[in-house]
Every structure is written in C-alpha cells, then in structure tokens.
C-alpha cells in the first residue's frame, strides 16, 4: 500500500464518512482501484505526488470529492463517479506533459453529471477543453476554475457564458482573455458571480478592471 496513508472515520449516528489521502503514489494502482470501488462509504479522496499515476479508472458510487495533484502525462483517466460534486486536477508544469485534457473533460461530462465545482490547473488547458466542458451540460455547475491555460481566450469566455450562466465563482488566472472577455463576464454573470479571479492575465488592462467595481 502507498506510503503515508491515513483513514479518518467519523461516526455520526448511522452516518459513516471515510476520507483517504495518498502521498507520492508511484505504484499499487490495482490495489487503489479496488479500494475505491469497494469502499461504499468513501466520500473524499485526496492524492498528492501523482506524477506516475499514468492511466487510472476511478469508479465509485459514493465519492463526492476528488483532489489530485502533481499529475503528469496521463495516458488514460476515467471517472465513473455518478455522485461526484467536486473535482480538482492539478498538473505539473513540465513542458513535455502529453495529457489529453479534452478527452478527460468529455468523460467527466458523461460520467459525473452532478459536478458542482471543477478546478483544473494545467498549461495544456485550451479552447477545445472549454468546448468539451460546455458540451457536457453540467447543469449544477457553480464553481469553475481553469488556471494556467494561456490558450483560453475570449471565445472560451463566450462558450462558458452561454452554457453556465449561473456560475458563482470563475477563475481564469493565467489565461489570454482580454478586456472584451471582461465585458462578457460583467454582462452575463452580473447577478450570480460572487468571486472572479483573473491573476496573471496579460491582455487585460488596468482601466477595464475598474469597470468591475
């Protein structure tokens, strides 16, 4: 079993919640897959140091939260978690990362229809990934964070706005959106958005940011 494993079991009457965390996992994918699929009360999964995860299938009817960090060059990643509400995928910034995010996001849309919060941090984020996300039609989506995607543009903002107009949080830090994208955000999300994060977006001028206040 991977190092630094801990389980926390909380008993609240008849409710059992289990949380599991792995650090620096480099092997034991089969064992982990069985653990995830067999633990019917497992609701939260956090894995750090996933650089050697490769291809993996998450199959669980109980998981509601998945956080994976230090991901790199995933050959295949399948999420079959019908009750998943939150997912965080943070990739390493290595230039040779070959992960197909479009395929992963497309799979999320088909197999995780209850997603409310999505966070993806990757230099491979692009407009095609955004289009796959908007095609997923995740009606409950309220928090969307797509960070480090320099290929995310104003066209991406338009796609997000047309599909997910009820967002409460939007983070497009590190993207290439411009003042035009800011205008769309202000028009579409004026009534719903409570938090907007746009750090390190070089095409946004300081004068246009004043229009947000």
């Amino acid at each position: 079993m991977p190092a630094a494993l801990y389980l926390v079991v909380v008993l609240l009457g008849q409710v059992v919640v289990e949380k599991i965390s792995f650090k620096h996992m480099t092997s034991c994918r089969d064992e982990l897959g069985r653990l995830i699929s067999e633990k019917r009360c497992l609701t939260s999964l956090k894995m750090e140091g996933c650089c050697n995860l490769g291809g993996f299938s998450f199959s669980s009817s109980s998981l509601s939260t998945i956080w994976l960090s230090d991901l790199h060059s995933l050959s295949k990643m399948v999420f079959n978690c019908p009750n998943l509400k939150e997912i965080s995928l943070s990739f390493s910034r290595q230039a040779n990362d070959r992960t197909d995010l479009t395929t992963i996001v497309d799979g999320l849309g088909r197999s995780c229809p209850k997603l409310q919060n999505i966070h993806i941090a990757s230099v491979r984020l692009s407009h095609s990934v955004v289009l796959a996300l908007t095609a997923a039609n995740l009606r409950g989506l309220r928090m969307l964070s797509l960070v480090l995607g320099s290929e995310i543009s104003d066209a991406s903002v338009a796609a997000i706005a047309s599909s997910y107009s009820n967002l409460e949080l939007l983070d497009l830090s590190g993207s290439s959106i411009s003042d035009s994208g800011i205008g769309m955000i202000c028009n579409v999300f004026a009534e719903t958005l409570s938090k907007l994060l746009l750090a390190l977006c070089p095409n946004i001028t300081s004068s246009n940011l004043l229009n947000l206040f």
Side-chain angles (χ1 to χ4, degrees):
M1 186 63 67
L5 164 66
Y6 65 83
L7 286 171
V8 178
V9 180
V10 180
L11 298 176
L12 298 173
Q14 295 181 342
V15 179
V16 180
V17 179
E18 290 194 16
K19 297 184 178 181
I20 184 170
S21 176
F22 292 83
K23 293 186 178 181
H24 307 300
M25 192 189 96
T26 58
S27 60
C28 304
R29 286 195 293 268
D30 292 341
E31 290 85 351
L32 176 59
R34 283 196 297 271
L35 176 64
I36 293 173
S37 63
E38 293 173 1
K39 284 290 185 179
R40 299 295 178 85
C41 52
L42 182 66
T43 61
S44 179
L45 174 68
K46 180 179 180 180
M47 294 170 56
E48 302 174 359
C50 302
C51 58
N52 294 320
L53 190 58
F56 192 80
S57 178
F58 291 84
S59 181
S60 171
S61 60
S62 60
L63 271 176
S64 62
T65 302
I66 295 177
W67 292 355
L68 308 178
S69 63
D70 304 312
L71 294 164
H72 177 68
S73 292
L74 298 180
S75 57
K76 184 180 181 182
M77 181 70 77
V78 177
F79 296 92
N80 183 19
C81 304
N83 292 308
L84 192 67
K85 294 183 178 180
E86 179 176 355
I87 188 166
S88 175
L89 304 175
S90 295
F91 290 78
S92 64
R93 301 192 189 187
Q94 299 181 39
N96 61 345
D97 186 5
R98 298 180 301 277
T99 300
D100 186 350
L101 280 176
T102 302
T103 300
I104 291 177
V105 169
D106 180 65
L108 282 175
R110 291 196 306 268
S111 303
C112 308
K114 296 183 180 180
L115 273 173
Q116 298 176 1
N117 304 340
I118 295 177
H119 169 77
I120 302 176
S122 172
V123 295
R124 293 189 61 81
L125 280 168
S126 63
H127 183 56
S128 64
V129 176
V130 173
L131 291 180
L133 179 62
T134 56
N137 192 27
L138 298 168
R139 297 183 179 181
L141 192 64
R142 293 296 179 267
M143 301 175 66
L144 178 60
S145 174
L146 303 175
V147 179
L148 303 178
S150 61
E151 295 184 19
I152 291 179
S153 63
D154 292 338
S156 307
V157 173
I160 293 170
S162 65
S163 298
Y164 300 115
S165 58
N166 293 319
L167 287 178
E168 299 171 6
L169 180 149
L170 179 61
D171 185 355
L172 297 177
S173 297
S175 69
S176 294
I177 72 169
S178 68
D179 292 349
S180 176
I182 291 290
M184 283 186 280
I185 291 172
C186 291
N187 290 333
V188 174
F189 301 108
E191 300 299 325
T192 63
L193 205 64
S194 61
K195 183 174 291 187
L196 176 63
L197 303 173
L198 297 170
L200 303 175
C201 296
N203 296 330
I204 298 176
T205 63
S206 57
S207 59
N208 196 269
L209 287 176
L210 296 176
N211 295 330
L212 295 174
F213 303 96

